[in-house]
Amino acid sequence: MRIFLSLFLTSLFLFSPTAAKVKKVAFDAQAAGRYIKDLASDSMQGRKSGQPGGAMGAEYIASRFEEWDLEPAGDNGTYYQNFTIEHRDIKVGVELEIIAENARRDFYYGEDWRVQRFSGSGNFTAEIVFIGYGIHAPEKEHDDYAGVDVKGKIVVFTTETPQRLKKKLGDATKMEKRIEAAQKLGARGAILFRLSTTSSRYFRMRLKKEQYKPDFVILSVERKVMDFIFKDLSTEIRYSIPAMGRKAELPKTLETGVKAFVSVNAIFDEKRPSRNVLAKITGSDKTLKDEYVVIGGHMDHLGISPMGDIMNGANDNASGTAVVMEIARIMKLNRAKPKRTVIFALWAGEEQGLLGSKHYADDSTFPMNKTVAYINMDMVGHGSGKIPFQGVYYGPQTWKLLKEKLPKEILDYVMPRRGGPGGSDHTPFLEKGVPGFFVMTRGAIKYHQSRDDSDLIKPEMLKKTGDFVHAAVKILASESGDFFPPLRRETYYLKYQNLINFELSLLSEVVEHHKDAKDSHVDLQLAVMKEEEGLSGDGLRIDILKKFLSASEEIEKAKGLSYYSSSSSLTRDIRQGKTTIMAGLMGINAFRDDPRWAQVLVKQGLYFAFVDDPSFLFDEQGLSEEGKKIIKAVNNSGLLLLVKGVDGSQAKLLLKESKRPLAFLDKSLPDKEVMELIKEKESAFGLVWSNDADPVAYFNKLDEFKKAVGTEYLMMVNEPCLWGQAGKDQMLKVITEIIKAKYDRTDRSNIYSSTFLRVLGKARGESSRVVPYMPF
Ligand SMILES: [Zn+2]
């Protein structure tokens, strides 16, 4: 059928001069392959943004756009959108040699050691001094540097910190403080290692530019290097490192007598010019031309490695860049007349943290609230067969339209996937509420390796990606669709955050109503076991356990549900679109007469006990004997106690008695003293919102608590059910306020779920234990 049609068109073209318009040029994978070859050639020096290679890449693309007569969409009628980036680079020729008394050894960069960001430069030989944790807090009676002079030497310390020290020393245990201490005390550099057995190869220190000193080097090393430093040292000292992990005791400072030869030439430039390349085809419709469909990918890569390897980045991401270019070329050539404006974007600075796409999303030239969708391509030249299309959970309306309109032969190889933020340039779009899609083909082999070259690119993958995205753009740019639903951005955050539904329904009902859940915005549902009237003691317990077991069986059978076991399994199940259920007790009658039962119930799989009116825990003297017994039972069992309706003095009594964190729920904030105590006891406060709560007033209270002691101890607790429209709408209004107040990722995550999960873990006695490092 297609052959006949094209023959027909060809004959038209031959015989009628006006029919030239009809003949469409298809996506040419060979042409795209040529762009990749050019972009991923050695002469482009790895296309790192902020460097000549990055600029060459941008110029190459812009000159093609000009040649193809695409409209410029950058600054002042050019193809370039200018901005500055923070530029860091390690020059070729790094060296680390450890010189012991009887042996010396060179270590491989990238394998055995790395230069951390914000390291300065150095070319020196210096003695190595072991400093334990590297914590310098004499004002708190802790100083790992006591009795040793590190001036002109290089210090070695572990990046991990026992909880005990963290608690006692607070900010002084932060990595930036440790680096600052080494700098202040005159060391020339720091070598960092991890106690845990896992490799630190991809480990990145969270340092800030304030720690950058031009002549202070910051390196991280694998255990291999530590082993070599320590291999000839006396027994007592050899055991001091494992002892740090095991007993969390103070390590001994040690002048090793071993030396290091370090050669690092690091560059840090706070402001370097960089630019995105932008072209467009302006929409043909009077009104719709002010709406935008964006396709893009990052053009930058990693430059030249400190070992001198040119990182060509053919798949990452000359491939995505080439597909964007080729789609632009054929749309122009075919005289495409999309109703909306189509923007072709090649981003700079992706590898340094999505800098180019962030700049575009923050810029108002092409407003985000007028942007229909963004399709990102990053690594589309490897793999075989299918093309995963990530992001349908966040842009269901867009995907619905595409599914209706795309030809079957394309739909056959496109695999819709949930998607979400992270990893590439679709992220800044999602965060502004724009449906952000991400195409990355399977088999990202040679990722961030010097062997990511153009000879490994598969033209058939470029072709499939190109045909799909080209067809998708044409649809999105001209069809009508439900592109701008109200509260688009809020809805993204509702979906993206791990959302707990605190509405404590009965477990059996939750299972019954939601067993077919799929991609719900409710990620974790708290549910309770009902205490049947007239039952007490063993009768009540047996009834509860029976109900729990039968509900558990139902959960296991239900496709859309899973039962809570850990925060990591929660994350995994969310990614699969499931809702996780966590059950607890409504009241404490099931163990009030016999506290040992608390433990049994926890072992069976219950996580919390909700106490609405805790007056029975108190008498005139304060906490009653029974109250104390119950707190003890709760502590021993690992149950998390959610307490509602206590006043300030009662909360204080409970906090003082409990050895483990508690969670207090209330509609109004506790006084300052209680807030401080909640923080001190690592407990949590859940601010309750009811149906009639004013979202703005509610948020203001949240914010007041945040300002007082931080979000680490704060939870949003809903009374209206979040599955229903009313609860959802209410939550969206609160999210509006959270966005306005620019809460960062950590704050948002805390108030939605992280604080709750942390308190739960602590109540259960789970701690992130440091795995002992055994170097010998
Ligand atoms: Zn990439």
Side-chain angles (χ1 to χ4, degrees):
M1 192 54 192
R2 282 174 61 97
I3 295 164
F4 282 117
L5 188 64
S6 66
L7 279 176
F8 174 66
L9 290 175
T10 314
S11 54
L12 265 184
F13 172 66
L14 288 173
F15 297 108
S16 142
T18 55
K21 277 180 202 159
V22 191
K23 189 174 189 270
K24 299 288 182 201
V25 177
F27 185 94
D28 182 352
Q30 303 307 322
R34 285 195 297 275
Y35 317 146
I36 296 176
K37 232 176 175 173
D38 291 342
L39 287 163
S41 70
D42 282 0
S43 63
M44 295 266 181
Q45 297 164 38
R47 306 187 307 282
K48 184 163 174 167
S49 291
Q51 293 182 347
M56 278 166 68
E59 279 155 24
Y60 171 85
I61 299 159
S63 63
R64 290 298 162 287
F65 280 167
E66 194 173 3
E67 190 184 313
W68 301 332
D69 202 24
L70 280 142
E71 297 165 62
D75 302 338
N76 311 316
T78 71
Y79 292 104
Y80 300 114
Q81 185 183 40
N82 297 283
F83 59 104
T84 59
I85 59 171
E86 226 180 62
H87 182 75
R88 293 184 299 271
D89 198 37
I90 312 291
K91 287 231 163 172
V92 178
V94 289
E95 219 175 312
L96 174 66
E97 188 182 19
I98 304 293
I99 308 157
E101 206 180 326
N102 305 314
R104 51 204 295 161
R105 185 164 159 193
D106 256 319
F107 286 92
Y108 287 109
Y109 188 80
E111 289 283 318
D112 304 333
W113 69 288
R114 274 165 183 269
V115 179
Q116 287 290 327
R117 67 165 56 159
F118 301 119
S119 169
S121 305
N123 194 310
F124 58 83
T125 304
E127 198 182 312
I128 297 172
V129 187
F130 177 65
I131 303 287
Y133 298 109
I135 301 170
H136 176 63
E139 70 287 355
K140 288 181 174 162
E141 281 143 29
H142 181 108
D143 189 5
D144 291 341
Y145 287 85
V148 62
D149 180 14
V150 298
K151 208 165 274 158
K153 298 173 184 167
I154 189 159
V155 295
V156 177
F157 58 83
T158 175
T159 59
E160 276 142 326
T161 329
Q163 276 301 323
R164 190 181 54 81
L165 284 184
K166 239 184 222 170
K167 237 173 154 172
K168 185 179 152 206
L169 305 172
D171 278 358
T173 63
K174 283 193 175 160
M175 201 44 61
E176 66 236 43
K177 294 286 173 205
R178 300 195 213 185
I179 294 293
E180 279 165 15
Q183 290 169 340
K184 197 181 83 185
L185 295 168
R188 301 191 74 169
I191 295 178
L192 315 170
F193 69 99
R194 305 186 84 188
L195 283 169
S196 51
T197 47
T198 50
S199 161
S200 45
R201 186 155 172 206
Y202 295 104
F203 178 60
R204 298 282 181 277
M205 307 289 312
R206 285 203 186 165
L207 295 174
K208 301 192 186 94
K209 61 177 172 224
E210 286 72 25
Q211 278 80 56
Y212 173 77
K213 296 273 176 293
D215 53 359
F216 184 88
V217 297
I218 308 170
L219 318 177
S220 56
V221 299
E222 293 291 312
R223 53 186 299 169
K224 204 195 258 179
V225 181
M226 290 306 292
D227 291 351
F228 192 82
I229 295 172
F230 276 81
K231 74 183 177 49
D232 292 330
L233 300 173
S234 71
T235 326
E236 189 200 340
I237 287 136
R238 287 168 48 136
Y239 287 103
S240 80
I241 295 184
M244 283 169 68
R246 218 170 31 241
K247 288 183 268 173
E249 66 182 25
L250 281 182
K252 293 184 177 62
T253 302
L254 165 72
E255 304 194 43
T256 61
V258 178
K259 287 180 178 152
F261 168 67
V262 177
S263 180
V264 170
N265 192 350
I267 289 158
F268 172 56
D269 223 353
E270 273 192 61
K271 280 198 169 122
R272 269 215 191 173
S274 181
R275 47 201 195 174
N276 294 326
V277 177
L278 303 176
K280 66 180 175 181
I281 294 177
T282 299
S284 57
D285 182 282
K286 231 174 31 260
T287 353
L288 293 181
K289 73 176 175 35
D290 294 326
E291 291 180 5
Y292 308 97
V293 175
V294 188
I295 63 169
H298 73 90
M299 60 185 169
D300 67 308
H301 197 52
L302 300 167
I304 301 175
S305 84
M307 299 305 288
D309 294 317
I310 301 177
M311 308 295 275
N312 283 326
N315 192 37
D316 185 13
N317 183 33
S319 65
T321 302
V323 173
V324 175
M325 289 168 68
E326 179 59 7
I327 293 173
R329 183 184 76 92
I330 59 169
M331 282 184 78
K332 185 69 200 179
L333 200 61
N334 289 334
R335 297 178 203 181
K337 293 217 165 22
K339 289 182 183 163
R340 299 185 179 84
T341 296
V342 176
I343 294 177
F344 306 95
L346 289 317
W347 313 117
E350 191 268 357
E351 301 287 1
Q352 281 123 303
L354 318 180
L355 303 176
S357 50
K358 267 184 196 155
H359 176 81
Y360 177 94
D362 286 335
D363 188 81
S364 52
T365 314
F366 305 105
M368 289 290 113
N369 61 6
K370 288 277 184 187
T371 300
V372 166
Y374 170 63
I375 301 177
N376 185 53
M377 284 163 274
D378 192 354
M379 302 197 278
V380 293
H382 289 176
S384 58
K386 307 268 184 186
I387 304 286
F389 185 54
Q390 299 183 46
V392 302
Y393 176 56
Y394 296 97
Q397 296 93 341
T398 316
W399 172 240
K400 186 170 164 270
L401 177 69
L402 289 177
K403 215 165 55 177
E404 275 167 28
K405 302 281 179 184
L406 280 169
K408 188 181 173 303
E409 64 267 26
I410 286 179
L411 279 176
D412 277 348
Y413 67 73
V414 172
M415 295 191 297
R417 290 282 178 268
R418 182 181 170 99
S424 194
D425 293 303
H426 55 296
T427 306
F429 286 85
L430 279 170
E431 287 175 349
K432 300 281 182 184
V434 176
F437 297 92
F438 180 22
V439 182
M440 182 178 84
T441 57
R442 285 265 168 83
I445 46 166
K446 312 297 176 197
Y447 170 71
H448 285 191
Q449 294 175 33
S450 59
R451 186 61 186 97
D452 180 2
D453 290 320
S454 45
D455 60 314
L456 297 177
I457 296 293
K458 295 184 171 173
E460 70 271 23
M461 296 311 285
L462 302 176
K463 174 75 178 154
K464 277 184 171 170
T465 305
D467 283 346
F468 163 49
V469 176
H470 180 207
V473 166
K474 285 196 289 187
I475 293 164
L476 297 177
S478 292
E479 298 286 340
S480 53
D482 181 15
F483 296 127
F484 302 101
L487 301 175
R488 198 167 68 144
R489 192 171 180 198
E490 283 81 353
T491 306
Y492 162 74
Y493 282 106
L494 180 84
K495 288 180 166 184
Y496 163 63
Q497 299 291 344
N498 291 350
L499 204 62
I500 302 179
N501 190 10
F502 277 92
E503 187 240 4
L504 300 170
S505 298
L506 288 183
L507 179 62
S508 53
E509 284 172 15
V510 167
V511 176
E512 176 62 31
H513 293 157
H514 302 298
K515 60 181 171 224
D516 298 324
K518 175 90 186 91
D519 283 331
S520 167
H521 55 278
V522 175
D523 296 304
L524 179 61
Q525 168 75 46
L526 303 194
V528 287
M529 310 299 306
K530 190 180 174 188
E531 294 179 350
E532 292 297 339
E533 248 174 86
L535 287 179
S536 65
D538 287 344
L540 174 62
R541 291 188 271 271
I542 288 167
D543 184 62
I544 283 177
L545 284 175
K546 254 183 163 165
K547 283 184 177 140
F548 179 63
L549 289 176
S550 77
S552 304
E553 278 171 26
E554 291 296 315
I555 291 173
E556 225 162 275
K557 275 189 263 166
K559 261 196 177 155
L561 302 178
S562 70
Y563 194 72
Y564 185 84
S565 62
S566 68
S567 56
S568 54
S569 72
L570 173 67
T571 312
R572 191 195 57 219
D573 289 334
I574 290 171
R575 276 198 212 113
Q576 293 174 3
K578 289 182 182 178
T579 295
T580 296
I581 294 182
M582 177 190 288
L585 296 165
M586 182 64 108
I588 56 156
N589 286 334
F591 63 89
R592 196 170 165 181
D593 61 322
D594 186 352
R596 290 170 305 176
W597 271 93
Q599 221 159 342
V600 177
L601 293 165
V602 168
K603 282 208 174 111
Q604 288 299 318
L606 297 181
Y607 284 90
F608 60 88
F610 176 74
V611 179
D612 196 3
D613 176 15
S615 53
F616 65 94
L617 297 170
F618 304 94
D619 57 23
E620 300 81 58
Q621 270 76 49
L623 205 56
S624 66
E625 279 314 305
E626 193 194 2
K628 286 180 189 163
K629 232 166 64 186
I630 284 167
I631 293 296
K632 201 173 163 194
V634 165
N635 283 170
N636 290 342
S637 65
L639 213 54
L640 174 65
L641 204 58
L642 300 171
V643 199
K644 199 175 166 192
V646 287
D647 61 28
S649 58
Q650 289 172 329
K652 270 189 252 173
L653 289 168
L654 289 172
L655 282 165
K656 281 186 177 141
E657 183 70 21
S658 182
K659 291 194 172 59
R660 290 190 174 166
L662 302 169
F664 296 94
L665 313 183
D666 212 320
K667 282 181 190 166
S668 48
L669 291 178
D671 59 41
K672 188 82 207 272
E673 208 186 329
V674 175
M675 288 189 206
E676 291 290 348
L677 196 58
I678 285 173
K679 177 179 177 179
E680 195 190 311
K681 293 283 191 170
E682 297 182 308
S683 289
F685 177 74
L687 186 63
V688 178
W689 52 280
S690 47
N691 255 327
D692 52 355
D694 169 43
V696 178
Y698 175 79
F699 171 78
N700 288 340
K701 276 193 249 174
L702 272 180
D703 202 45
E704 199 182 323
F705 189 99
K706 173 188 181 245
K707 281 174 182 143
V709 289
T711 56
E712 231 181 306
Y713 314 96
L714 181 62
M715 329 185 277
M716 289 201 285
V717 173
N718 58 298
E719 250 171 22
C721 181
L722 293 182
W723 293 92
Q725 197 58 46
K728 199 174 147 182
D729 287 347
Q730 190 86 332
M731 183 56 110
L732 288 169
K733 285 180 195 152
V734 177
I735 293 175
T736 303
E737 300 306 310
I738 293 172
I739 293 173
K740 267 195 232 157
K742 299 203 162 85
Y743 273 33
D744 67 14
R745 195 179 288 248
T746 313
D747 285 331
R748 289 194 316 252
S749 151
N750 281 341
I751 60 178
Y752 282 100
S753 61
S754 297
T755 297
F756 174 78
L757 294 173
R758 179 184 56 77
V759 175
L760 182 88
K762 288 234 160 108
R764 295 170 66 78
E766 294 162 4
S767 63
S768 44
R769 278 194 333 158
V770 174
V771 186
Y773 170 84
M774 304 296 279
F776 312 106

